[in-house]
Amino acid sequence: MRWLAAEPIESERLRLEPLTVRHGTRMVSVLADPSIYHFMGGEPPSALTLARQYRRQVVGHSPDGCIGWLNWIVTLAETETPIGVVQATLLERSQAAADLSWVITPAQQGRGYATEAATVLVGWLNEHGVTGFAANIHPEHGASGAVARRLGLHPTAVVVDGEVRWES
């Protein structure tokens, strides 16, 4: 099975760069704020942890080949400064459905970057045949819920690891 491969995506203010292992060093400071992990768990990663994680992710699929991974670093187009990440996990062999996630560093939150990045991601995925979208969001994470609503997702009754499943 050949999965979709991430390509550069641009919006008015942002550039989504396909993830590379080299991004690890640049992303340590972006992902360093402990408040990022309040809803999703975990802790700020080290450069070594990110290098290992990114080395696994850039392959583009799970070890058994059953799940496709698309990962981008979100940068400000004007300065090329990294401010976050977006991800699409392809769950079906048809590649018609994707789970989405987004993280913007707290210093850049409140400016619409998560919505802008996720919107251009969904547009790119639509152009490549992906038509169904979902996201798992902590019920108290109002900002992520707002992004999901802007993407046309709606909360369902399904709860996965304490997070509400939103679907289009």
Side-chain angles (χ1 to χ4, degrees):
M1 170 81 198
R2 183 174 158 91
W3 293 97
L4 282 175
E7 300 172 344
I9 306 171
E10 295 188 19
S11 68
E12 183 178 326
R13 302 178 298 165
L14 304 175
R15 178 173 168 81
L16 278 58
E17 299 177 3
L19 179 72
T20 67
V21 175
R22 290 187 318 266
H23 282 117
T25 304
R26 292 177 68 200
M27 292 304 293
V28 169
S29 62
V30 174
L31 300 173
D33 190 319
S35 70
I36 292 173
Y37 309 92
H38 178 73
F39 293 113
M40 63 184 199
E43 58 188 41
S46 67
L48 180 59
T49 300
L50 283 179
R52 288 178 180 151
Q53 176 183 334
Y54 291 177
R55 197 170 292 114
R56 286 189 306 271
Q57 289 176 318
V58 297
V59 172
H61 57 79
S62 60
D64 63 6
C66 292
I67 299 172
W69 297 325
L70 297 164
N71 295 278
W72 289 265
I73 300 301
V74 179
T75 65
L76 297 174
E78 200 170 286
T79 62
E80 298 183 12
T81 303
I83 62 166
V85 297
V86 291
Q87 178 180 34
T89 302
L90 303 170
L91 305 171
E92 301 175 4
R93 292 258 182 222
S94 67
Q95 299 188 67
D99 273 5
L100 306 173
S101 65
W102 49 85
V103 175
I104 299 295
T105 191
Q108 296 292 336
Q109 291 176 4
R111 297 179 176 130
Y113 292 141
T115 298
E116 187 173 334
T119 299
V120 297
L121 172 57
V122 166
W124 183 88
L125 289 165
N126 274 147
E127 290 172 9
H128 290 83
V130 181
T131 56
F133 300 98
N136 295 331
I137 300 172
H138 191 282
E140 295 175 15
H141 200 310
S144 279
V147 171
R149 275 194 186 83
R150 289 184 192 104
L151 295 175
L153 304 180
H154 307 282
T156 69
V158 176
V159 177
V160 178
D161 294 328
E163 296 181 326
V164 176
R165 181 127 177 110
W166 291 61
E167 297 179 349
S168 57

